[in-house]
Every structure is written in structure tokens, then in C-alpha cells.
Amino acid sequence: MARIAREEMKQRLKVYFIMGSVNCKKSPFEVLTEAIDGGITLFQFREKGSGALVGEQKYEFAKQLQAICQKRGIPFIVNDDVELALAIDADGVHIGQDDEDARVVREKIGDKILGVSAHNLAEAQAAAAAGADYIGVGPIYPTKSKADAKQAQGPGMIRLLRDNGIDIPIVGIGGITAENASEVMNAGADGVSVISAIASAPSPLLATKQLVQTVLNNE
Ligand code: TZP
Ligand code: MG
């Protein structure tokens, strides 16, 4: 398989749902199914934080969520855990600045999708040079979903990256909702990634539909 084409990556980033067991108020399988029904374009398995599953339980949970995505044609990305991604033949991996070096991860995963978190121009340039298929930029707004999140930088960081020649696909992350998603898109993002806006919503289905609507209106 070849690396994902840039245009296809951009389309896939439009509404990127990220979730682990600790983010859900009801069955994670139901939440993911509703999110897919609502129109998410990409999914990331992020099993992190206090109470997160580990070992065999994490593996089995990942396999179950992956099966749901596969049935519905939604690519399945694994956060941080390159070995898990390879073991279950996931569609890709997302790594942060404190994880393994992006070049090393690219070597390990071949043509699978590689996403890298970037907080500034230097990190964005390095990620692009290392072979990232997309970068995640944030936190754009304050977030409660990541204990060690850096300070929110606003959508202006995405604009700054675009103005300085960063042309690889960008997804915004952190505190994004249907109310502020258009600001993120207008700053030059290809899409938005969210945890709580979908996972903590009273209706993940309706919340996803609202986000999808907003993003499509701001293409
Ligand atoms: N990285 C930067 S902010 C964040 C991650 C994983 C959490 C995003 O969660 P939410 O609930 O959409 O703010
Ligand atoms: Mg990480």
C-alpha cells in the first residue's frame, strides 16, 4: 500500500473523533457507533488517563473498536502505542513530541498514516520533514480532556503555520465544539479533532451531526 494521498488525508481529517474508555459516559461502543452514524471521518483510539485499560484488556478493547470502524469504513488510528498499532494492523499512529521520534515511527509503520502533535512552527516543520501525513495543532482552546495540556494558543497558531509555508494537512485540537469549529477551519485547518464535544455529549449522534454541519459549511 502507498502512503495516503494529501487530498484524501485532508478529507479524512474533517471530523476526527478521539476517544478512550475514560472519556465516555455510556458504552464506548455505543458512543463510537453514534459518532460514525453522525458522520465522523476518522477515529483515534486514545486509551489514556487515570482508570485507562492496559495490557490484554486494552488490546481487546482496541480490537472491538477497530471492528466497528472497519465495518463502517472509518480508518482506525492508535495514539502513542506503535506496538499495539502494528499488532492489530491499525491504519495509523498518532504521536506527540514526548513520544518516540517521528522518523523512527515512520520506519516502523511503513505506509500507515502518521500523525504528529505540533505546537509551533519548528515542530510543524520537523514533523513534515520526518514524514508526518498530518499534524495536530493545539490546544486551540482550553481543554479538560488532557491533564498535561499546554496553554491554549487560539486558532491564530494555525494561521501562523499556514502563513509560514506549512502545507501538510492540519487538524486543530483542544476545546473544539460546534460553536467554535468555524474559527478553526477559517484559520486554515483541514478539520477538527474532538474528544468531549462528542464523547461527553448527551447525544453523541446529534453532537456529531452539528460538528459535521459546521465543518462542511466552512470548507
Ligand atoms: N491534545 C491536545 S488537547 C487534547 C489533546 C489530546 C484534548 C482534546 O479534548 P477535547 O475534549 O476535545 O478538548
Ligand atoms: Mg502521545
Side-chain angles (χ1 to χ4, degrees), residues 48 79-80 96 99:
K48 259 188 163 169
N79 182 276
D80 283 0
D99 298 314

Short mmCIF file of all heavy atoms in Angstrom, two decimals, residues 48 79-80 96 99, ligand 2:
data_model
loop_
_atom_site.label_atom_id
_atom_site.label_comp_id
_atom_site.label_asym_id
_atom_site.label_seq_id
_atom_site.Cartn_x
_atom_site.Cartn_y
_atom_site.Cartn_z
N LYS A 48 -5.99 6.54 27.63
CA LYS A 48 -5.06 7.27 28.48
C LYS A 48 -5.75 7.85 29.69
O LYS A 48 -6.96 8.04 29.67
CB LYS A 48 -4.51 8.47 27.68
CG LYS A 48 -3.13 8.26 27.11
CD LYS A 48 -2.64 9.56 26.52
CE LYS A 48 -1.16 9.52 26.31
NZ LYS A 48 -0.70 10.66 25.51
N ASN A 79 -3.28 6.07 19.28
CA ASN A 79 -2.47 7.10 19.92
C ASN A 79 -1.29 6.46 20.64
O ASN A 79 -1.46 5.52 21.41
CB ASN A 79 -3.34 7.87 20.93
CG ASN A 79 -2.58 8.99 21.60
OD1 ASN A 79 -1.87 8.78 22.58
ND2 ASN A 79 -2.70 10.17 21.05
N ASP A 80 -0.10 6.99 20.40
CA ASP A 80 1.14 6.64 21.14
C ASP A 80 1.68 5.23 20.93
O ASP A 80 2.90 5.07 20.84
CB ASP A 80 0.95 6.74 22.67
CG ASP A 80 0.97 8.17 23.16
OD1 ASP A 80 1.12 9.07 22.34
OD2 ASP A 80 0.80 8.35 24.38
N GLY A 96 2.99 12.23 20.00
CA GLY A 96 3.25 13.57 20.48
C GLY A 96 4.74 13.86 20.47
O GLY A 96 5.54 13.01 20.07
N ASP A 99 6.86 11.43 22.60
CA ASP A 99 6.88 10.02 22.23
C ASP A 99 8.13 9.74 21.40
O ASP A 99 8.99 10.59 21.22
CB ASP A 99 5.60 9.66 21.47
CG ASP A 99 4.36 9.86 22.34
OD1 ASP A 99 4.40 9.42 23.50
OD2 ASP A 99 3.38 10.47 21.87
MG MG B 2 1.47 10.89 22.95
#
